[in-house]
């Protein structure tokens, strides 16, 4: 008598909401699979959030509702149509008010960045941006969530992932590269964000003349090593960063095509 095949339930069924007649996210070819990923330059997604889009406006409402009722699980995408989910490329800074949320579910999102305000979600224990294939990095402020223990991330879509060692976008290495710029209106394709307001390390104010950006790979939760973007106000704050995860670039760095990563074909 042959054994019956075992059926496994889909853990994330419905987590991204109803698909409808359109794709809920755009295709991303930033990080090609296989050996080609190691030799290809990368850059930040340049998309800006359309703050007049229905999906964004609905997300603002959902964040406000979640902050008001103190819910512990926040899965906003299930409340959006496929078209509305496609319109959301980041989260609003108001997620800082979600101080009761323990599990943030962003399964199958169209996000290209997460704002540093996620660091104010101090009750966060589980973070699930799984199958958000356009999300290649996270803000260093995520390390401010002291209870974060579990994450489900599509690690092969990340810069520096141990499978393909996809290249990190190059950052401005020289201090003062942002001098004279309005730090509240930046090109996200260059700086990774439309605004940089505070230091990722000390939370103090940031000045364009002293801003320093570096990458660091850290194990922030569970088994995932995440590429984290640091916006530091000084060299002292860069020096205060903890050691990167073992098996990754051993120091904070500025990325770019000349960066040699452990286990890559540049070794």
């Amino acid at each position: 008598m042959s054994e019956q095949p075992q059926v496994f339930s889909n853990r994330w069924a419905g987590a991204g909401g109803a698909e409808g007649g359109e794709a809920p996210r755009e295709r991303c070819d930033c990080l090609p699979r296989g050996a080609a990923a190691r030799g290809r330059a990368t850059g930040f997604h340049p998309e800006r959030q359309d703050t007049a889009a229905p999906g964004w406006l609905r997300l603002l409402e959902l964040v406000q509702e979640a902050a008001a009722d103190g819910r512990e699980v926040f899965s906003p995408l299930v409340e959006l149509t496929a078209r509305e989910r496609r319109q959301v490329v980041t989260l609003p800074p108001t997620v800082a008010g979600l101080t009761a949320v323990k599990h943030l579910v962003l399964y199958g999102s169209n996000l290209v960045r997460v704002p540093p305000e996620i660091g104010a979600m101090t009750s966060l224990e589980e973070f699930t941006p799984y199958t958000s294939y356009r999300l290649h990095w996270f803000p260093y402020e995520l390390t401010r969530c002291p209870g974060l223990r579990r994450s489900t991330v599509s690690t092969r879509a990340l810069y520096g992932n141990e499978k393909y060692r996809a290249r990190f976008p190059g950052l401005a290495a020289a201090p003062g590269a942002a001098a004279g710029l309005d730090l509240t209106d930046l090109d996200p394709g260059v700086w990774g964000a439309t605004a940089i307001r505070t230091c990722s390390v000390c939370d103090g104010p940031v000045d364009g003349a002293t801003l320093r950006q570096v990458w660091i790979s850290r194990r922030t939760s569970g088994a995932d090593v995440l590429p984290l973007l640091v916006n530091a106000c000084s060299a002292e704050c860069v020096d205060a960063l903890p050691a990167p995860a073992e098996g990754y670039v051993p120091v904070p760095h500025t990325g770019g095509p000349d960066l040699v990563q452990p286990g890559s074909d540049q070794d």
Side-chain angles (χ1 to χ4, degrees):
M1 180 175 169
S2 61
E3 293 185 7
Q4 293 295 317
Q6 188 172 1
V7 178
F8 295 93
S9 62
N10 180 0
R11 182 182 177 190
W12 308 113
E19 292 295 318
E22 358 181 340
R25 62 189 175 209
E26 298 176 48
R27 180 179 175 84
C28 180
D29 295 316
C30 288
L31 305 184
R33 297 296 179 89
R38 298 177 177 175
R40 176 173 166 176
T42 56
F44 291 112
H45 275 275
E47 294 93 327
R48 289 178 178 267
Q49 178 61 55
D50 179 359
T51 56
W56 176 256
L57 298 176
R58 178 60 179 143
L59 179 60
L60 291 177
E61 293 176 351
L62 293 171
V63 171
Q64 185 177 25
E65 291 172 7
D69 64 28
R71 73 187 66 176
E72 296 185 352
V73 178
F74 186 46
S75 184
L77 299 185
V78 301
E79 305 291 337
L80 305 181
T81 66
R83 175 177 293 182
E84 289 173 336
R85 295 202 304 278
R86 193 180 176 107
Q87 294 169 347
V88 176
V89 299
T90 186
L91 299 177
T94 51
V95 296
L98 300 179
T99 55
V101 170
K102 294 182 177 181
H103 186 189
L104 177 60
V105 184
L106 300 170
Y107 180 92
S109 78
N110 198 40
L111 297 180
V112 299
R113 66 187 71 92
V114 172
E117 285 81 5
I118 194 173
M121 297 179 62
T122 51
S123 295
L124 193 64
E125 297 177 355
E126 186 168 2
F127 182 41
T128 308
Y130 192 49
T131 71
S132 296
Y133 296 124
R134 304 210 306 153
L135 197 54
H136 308 309
W137 60 277
F138 299 89
Y140 184 77
E141 285 81 352
L142 191 61
T143 63
R144 296 181 184 173
C145 301
L148 186 58
R149 296 291 180 269
R150 296 180 298 279
S151 64
T152 308
V153 178
S154 295
T155 53
R156 295 188 183 192
L158 301 181
Y159 298 139
N161 71 79
E162 62 180 354
K163 179 67 175 179
Y164 302 124
R165 299 296 182 182
R167 296 182 186 275
F168 289 80
L171 304 174
L181 295 181
D182 181 356
L183 296 188
T184 65
D185 185 22
L186 296 171
D187 180 351
V190 176
W191 300 97
T194 56
I196 299 173
R197 295 183 172 85
T198 57
C199 177
S200 301
V201 182
C202 72
D203 205 30
V206 175
D207 183 273
T210 59
L211 172 66
R212 294 168 181 257
Q213 285 190 312
V214 294
W215 292 110
I216 186 171
S217 296
R218 291 279 296 168
R219 193 180 304 279
T220 58
S221 60
D224 293 325
V225 174
L226 304 181
L228 305 173
L229 180 62
V230 179
N231 293 308
C233 66
S234 64
E236 289 75 18
C237 278
V238 173
D239 292 340
L241 290 169
E246 185 177 354
Y248 289 78
V249 180
V251 294
H253 59 87
T254 54
D258 297 326
L259 176 70
V260 177
Q261 300 188 54
S264 74
D265 54 8
Q266 296 172 298
D267 286 353

